[in-house]
Structures are given as C-alpha cells and as structure tokens.
Amino acid sequence: MEKFNSLTGVAAPLPLINTDTDMIIPKQFLKTIKRTGLGVNLFSEMRYEDDGSEKPDFILNQPAYRDTEVLVAGENFGCGSSREHAPWAINDFGIKCIIAPSFADIFYNNCFKNGILPIVLPPEEVDALMKDAEKGSNARISIDLETQTVTSSDGVVFNFKVDPFRKHCLMNGLDDIDLTLEKETSIQSFEQQAAISRPWV
Amino acid sequence: MSSKTLYDKIWNDHVAHEADDGTCLLYIDRHLVHEVTSPQAFEGLRVAGRSVHAPDKTIAVPDHNVPTTLDRQKGIDNEESRIQVEALDKNAEDFGIHYYPVDDIRQGIVHIVGPEQGWTLPGMTVVCGDSHTATHGAFGALAHGIGTSEVEHVLATQTLIQKKSKNMKVEITGKLKAGVTAKDITLTVIGQTGTAGGTGYVIEYCGEAIKSLSMEGRMTVCNMAIEGGARAGLIAPDEKTFEYCKGRPHAPKGAAWETAELYWKTLFSDEGAVFDKVLTIKGEDIAPVVTWGTSPEDVLPVTSTVPRPEDFDGGKVEAVKRSLEYMGLTPGMLLSEVKIDTVFIGSCTNGRIEDLRAAAAVLRGKKVKDGLRCMIVPGSGLVRAQAEEEGLAEIFIDAGFEWRLAGCSMCLAMNPDQLSPGERCAATSNRNFEGRQGRGGRTHLMSPAMAAAASLTGYLTDIRKLKHS
Ligand code: SF4
C-alpha cells in the first residue's frame, strides 16, 4: 500500500451532504476486474454531460481545481454501497485526503486500505476549510499525519484524531494481510477451540 | 457477570486476537462472495501466492451482472459483465470454494441464497463485499459489508481487523396496522434516524412488532440497517428462526442440530444490558410509506405531500432542492398524485417468496395500468420455482408483469434492466440515489404491496385505499 505522511495541495470544496458511492463512481464502472484507471470516471454523472463532454461548472472541471489533492466535503461522505471502486477512483484521480464532518463506516475503512486519509473535523472547522478551499488553487491546504494537523492556506491549524493502528499502517504503507498472518497461531488456536465449542459451524 | 447485549455475545465468541489498543481480529464463519467486488481480491491472492484459508466457509454466486431475461442461457451480451462473471467461475474453481453458477437453480442474489441454503445460521459472523450483508442479521448473526481489500483479507486469513461498534436498540412496540409491512418499518426507522444515525453502531431490532414478523420480514428490516449507516442490524433468534433453518442443506442435522440449538437459545440481550442509544417507535404509528427524494431518509407516509426545502435545516436544505429537481417534484403536491412509468418488484430487500405473495395478493385477477412497464424479479431460482408452484407466476403474467429470472436486476442496473432519464419507478429495492437504477432514473422506494398497488393505478398509491375500493 502507498504510504501517507504529509501533503500540501489544492483542496476542492464539495459541500453536498450524503455524497453516496453511486455519485462517486456509478455502477457502469464497477465492471472492471482491475483496481486502476477509474480516475476519469470519478463523479462521472456530476462531471460529464450525456455526450461525454465536461460540465464546466462541476468543481473538478474548473481550471483551479484540476490538480485537486484534498476534498473538503459535507457530512456522511461515502454512504451507500461497499464498493472499494470509490476510493480507487478517488486515489486514481490524485486525491489523497478527504476532510468531512462525518463519513460512512465502510467507505471510511476502505480509504485506509488505499493510502487515502479521511479526516473527521467538527462542522464549524470543516466550514472554515470549505471557505478556504473556495479560494481556488492559490489556497493550498497542508495535512500532516505525524502531528495530526490540518493547516489552512492562511495558517490556521486544526487538530484531528486518528486511530493509532491505522495511522501506523498508513504512515508505513503496511499490508494488513501480512500483519494478520503474523498472528496465525492465534487464528489456529481459535479455530481449534471453535471446532469444539461450535462444531456445526 | 455483567449483562451483555446480543452483539456483545456474538462479538466475544469471535475474537481471535485482541491488541492492546482494542484492535481485534474477528473470526469469520461465513464469507459470501459475488462477481463485482471480488475479482481484484482473488487477483491479489494470486499475485502474493496465497490460497483461500477456509474454502469450506466461502460461498460464491454471481448476481449483480447476470441477465434476468428468460433467454439468459444464450450468454451475457455485455463483454465486461461477461468477463466479470467468467472471472468468478474461474476463481471459484481455482480456489475450491462453494459455487452456484448462473445455470444452477439455486443461483440468485447472494443475500437470498445464503439463508436459503442454510449457510447463514444464528450466532455466526457473516461478511460479504456488499453493504446489504446486513440482511443476515435477521438470524441473530453478526453480518456486515466489507470492501474488496477486506474481502482479500478474509479470503487469506478468515479474519477481519475490527474495532467494536457501539450498541443501539431500535424497539418497535405493539402491532402493525393493516397494510403496513416490514419495509414500512425499516423505512420509517431510517426516516427518523437519518442515513447517518446508525454510524458507529450495531443495531438490535426488537419489540413485539419485530417478533411478529416472519423471517422474510425480519430480513427486509435488517437489510436496510446499512441505509441508516449502521455497521449491522441484528434480531435475536427464536423459534421462527430455528424453524426456518431446520432442514436447509447446510444447516446442522441430528445431534449437531441439538447442540447448536442449545447455543442459539443463549443468543439474546440480557435483562439490564446497556445500549448506547435507544429508539422506540410504536408499531401503530407506522403508516405505509414511500420515499420522495434521493436519499433513503427521505421517507413520508404515502398520504403526505412533497415537502419544501425550507422545512429542513443545514446542509439538508440544498440537498432537498437538488433532490426535488432531480425527482421532478413540486413542493406541496400530494404524493398520491405522483405518476409512475415503471414498477420493479425484487432485490435482496424484497425478492423473497413472502414478498411475491404480498404482491400477488394485490394483483390477483387485476391488470396493470396501460402503458406501464412492470417487472417481477425473484431473488433466487428457488424462489422463482416456488412462486410458480404456488400459482403466483400466473397471477403476475396475467396482470401484465414480466416474470424474470433471478438476479439483482434493476436494483442497481448493472445488467440491461435500467431506467431511462426521467423514467419514474415504484421500486421495492433499497436505494433511491441519483442514477442508481439508471442515469437520470427516478426511484420511489416502497413495500411490495404498495408497488403492486401502484402498478394498478399508475400513481403512488395507498394500499389501504385500494383495498377498500
Ligand atoms: S439486490 Fe441490489 S442491494 Fe441487493 S445485492 Fe443486489 S444490487 Fe445489492
């Protein structure tokens, strides 16, 4: 997995609440058997006209936001289906961090598995960053995972919380499966125990 | 010993390892797999040279992409869909997991096949790369959706890295009124909690109205726990649960059944168990409901009018404006004046035999409104066979419905069953998101009986009025 330490980049405002995974990546793009190449389809129905041309007013189509690396979003971002195609598409587009007042559970988990940092901040702080993001490409937001801070373009610092285990994995690009396989003996003894206590499973 | 909730009990019985910070390895008893969220996971195993840790606990079935038209043996036209289904055929074979291919009568929507075949049993942990895995919670199993990286993790280790969620209780007291179903319960709950109200929680549904539901109804309720943001929904198992499981192909038999049943009977929340959040709704207060917007929380009794954006607060004001524009609705209009083009009865929410019986009861001897496109898609090949045996299929066909083969179909429109832009659908599925049933398509969620009623009048219809007329 890709590591995440810190970044300074363009942040795009997406104030919608309940942005669902069907909006992030509609089902017609779930037919791939690969993880890559989904960036062009990110937010497809909001981003493109029926004929495939770009909708000029969609945020990521505006010149100032073409190189967006941070998304500042409304509450309950990523609700809906479990499709990991959503973080794959976000990652492939080049967005490495999403800041919102709240995230849907499965989407939030999926981000960490793909080197994306989802940051939860109180609504008023997200609002402040949303205003900052509206300033365009000159307003770069900085994120530092080590110190758990977000710094707005005018130097205001916001602290965020993150689960220590997830932070460790993200900062070191660790693979979950390798980590779990180190505990193989625990899994085996659990299985032996369960074979006695719940043999019908 | 302190009192425990049902969730606490199942959780405790599945922790294979706990780190100092509370991060656990949760052992997974059943892993269900479908074609859309698994190819990258199997590919990951191949690349790393890993095998499936417990193939006997892993069950796969294609459902999202499969055609549901009667000529499906001719193969899948769309090349990408075909490749995805073929990839699952191959992965099931290569990794030696249980498989129900497209031409097997037991094939169907993964969340219908699992319980039907007796794979889902009380007290188990069940996961699937699909958010509606919550369905299996109806058996008192801890069941939730996972992403593809987690699918790979479960395939490789039979465990999932998890932290425990909080406990939430949703109690539905008393009795439901006539015309009110499990779907109305689950939509009403989401209407009250909002789509994020359950985030961070596992919900246990309880109360007399829940107890009175059949297993099919309980599955409908738990299915939509995810729409309320919860990690999982649970219902304590009881005699109805055991009755449903008994004799299923993969349920325990003989002495093993006896031991299992003894254990299952311990699966309930103890007297005095503490819940972090509680919601109580009176069964009598629940009306037949429909959704009017593009979020499952946009729920109102069918007798209401379309709301105004000003009636909401915060970010919801903009969201409602956007929804109403997308849905082509004007504030103040009666929901019963909303004219529909299409009816879809099916999905893992409402594609079981009881749902088809409810629809048939409304449709018997009647004809659908001229010009409507109406389809019924059973949740599995076995549901379809049973509906034919019970004479339901004839009722549907005579009424003017298309009688399809099993699959996800128009629930998410990954196969050719799609809405066109602006087409308005009365649907028994679980999501009314923008574009969910096809680009520009407009979805109103409701119960099977209400969808059947809408097919007769061509409008969103109060099932209670239809019965009296
Ligand atoms: S029927 Fe719909 S919700 Fe259920 S598994 Fe299929 S696509 Fe998902």
Side-chain angles (χ1 to χ4, degrees), chain A residues 79-152:
Chain A
C79 61
S81 95
S82 65
R83 62 188 68 162
E84 202 160 315
H85 308 69
W88 293 338
I90 288 171
N91 197 359
D92 197 57
F93 181 90
I95 294 171
K96 305 293 174 205
C97 174
I98 309 166
I99 302 172
S102 58
F103 290 89
D105 188 40
I106 304 177
F107 177 83
Y108 184 79
N109 283 332
N110 282 342
C111 282
F112 285 99
K113 314 279 178 195
N114 291 283
I116 300 170
L117 175 63
I119 297 178
V120 178
L121 287 176
E124 39 317 336
E125 297 185 1
V126 175
D127 279 351
L129 288 167
M130 190 76 75
K131 294 219 170 62
D132 198 36
E134 281 161 7
K135 294 181 195 157
S137 56
N138 293 327
R140 290 172 175 255
I141 289 182
S142 298
I143 287 108
D144 189 78
L145 179 54
E146 171 81 66
T147 58
Q148 298 182 206
T149 52
V150 179
T151 310
S152 71

Side-chain angles (χ1 to χ4, degrees), chain A residues 15-23 26-36 38 44-52 55 58 75-76 79-85 88 102-106 109-110 113-114 163-166 169 175-181 183-191 194 196-201, chain B residues 13-17 21 23 25 27 29-30 36-37 39-40 44 50 53 57 65 78 80-81 83-84 87 121 123-124 129-131 145-150 152-153 156-159 161-163 195-196 199 226-227 229 231 252 256 259-260 263-264 294-295 297 315-316 319 322 412-414 431 433-440:
Chain A
L16 278 183
I17 63 165
N18 296 333
T19 297
D20 58 69
T21 52
D22 282 76
M23 283 180 184
K27 68 235 146 216
Q28 59 270 34
F29 307 111
L30 307 188
K31 294 185 182 180
T32 174
I33 55 172
K34 295 186 302 189
R35 283 181 156 103
T36 49
L38 288 166
S44 177
E45 291 180 6
M46 292 151 95
R47 197 163 143 206
Y48 304 109
E49 301 287 358
D50 287 346
D51 65 4
K55 293 184 180 173
F58 183 66
E75 64 195 57
N76 200 27
C79 61
S81 95
S82 65
R83 62 188 68 162
E84 202 160 315
H85 308 69
W88 293 338
S102 58
F103 290 89
D105 188 40
I106 304 177
N109 283 332
N110 282 342
K113 314 279 178 195
N114 291 283
D163 177 77
F165 174 71
R166 286 175 155 153
C169 292
D175 177 59
D176 281 350
I177 298 180
D178 285 337
L179 290 175
T180 298
L181 289 175
K183 306 191 183 85
E184 212 168 353
T185 45
S186 302
I187 300 174
Q188 279 166 358
S189 61
F190 179 90
E191 285 178 325
I196 300 163
S197 58
R198 295 182 301 127
W200 62 89
V201 178
Chain B
D13 280 352
H14 288 85
V15 176
H17 181 272
D21 69 346
T23 305
L25 280 183
Y27 193 81
D29 294 326
R30 293 288 181 263
V36 180
T37 54
Q40 295 87 348
R50 292 178 176 131
H53 180 93
K57 294 176 174 152
N65 276 287
N78 180 286
E80 289 176 299
S81 291
I83 291 173
Q84 224 172 35
L121 297 168
M124 283 182 164
D130 191 284
S131 53
I146 54 178
T148 298
S149 297
E150 291 177 317
E152 188 178 336
H153 191 278
T157 70
Q158 206 58 26
T159 64
I161 301 174
Q162 285 277 293
K163 274 207 169 158
T195 49
T199 306
I226 181 68
E227 257 57 66
R231 174 157 299 172
T259 337
Y263 172 76
W264 294 341
T294 54
S295 166
E297 69 191 14
K316 193 72 189 167
R322 186 184 163 97
L412 96 165
M414 270 188 83
R431 287 193 176 136
F433 297 155
E434 288 180 21
R436 169 78 179 183
Q437 294 194 282
R439 190 174 173 129

Side-chain angles (χ1 to χ4, degrees), chain A residues 81 83, chain B residues 34 63-64 109-112 128 130-133 135 223 227 344 346-350 407-414 429-431 436:
Chain A
S81 95
R83 62 188 68 162
Chain B
H34 67 72
D63 54 5
H64 285 59
I109 305 170
V110 64
H111 308 307
I112 292 192
C128 173
D130 191 284
S131 53
H132 292 98
T133 311
T135 312
N223 173 275
E227 257 57 66
F344 167 65
S347 88
C348 59
T349 318
N350 284 123
C408 294
S409 183
M410 209 192 257
C411 174
L412 96 165
M414 270 188 83
S429 44
N430 42 52
R431 287 193 176 136
R436 169 78 179 183

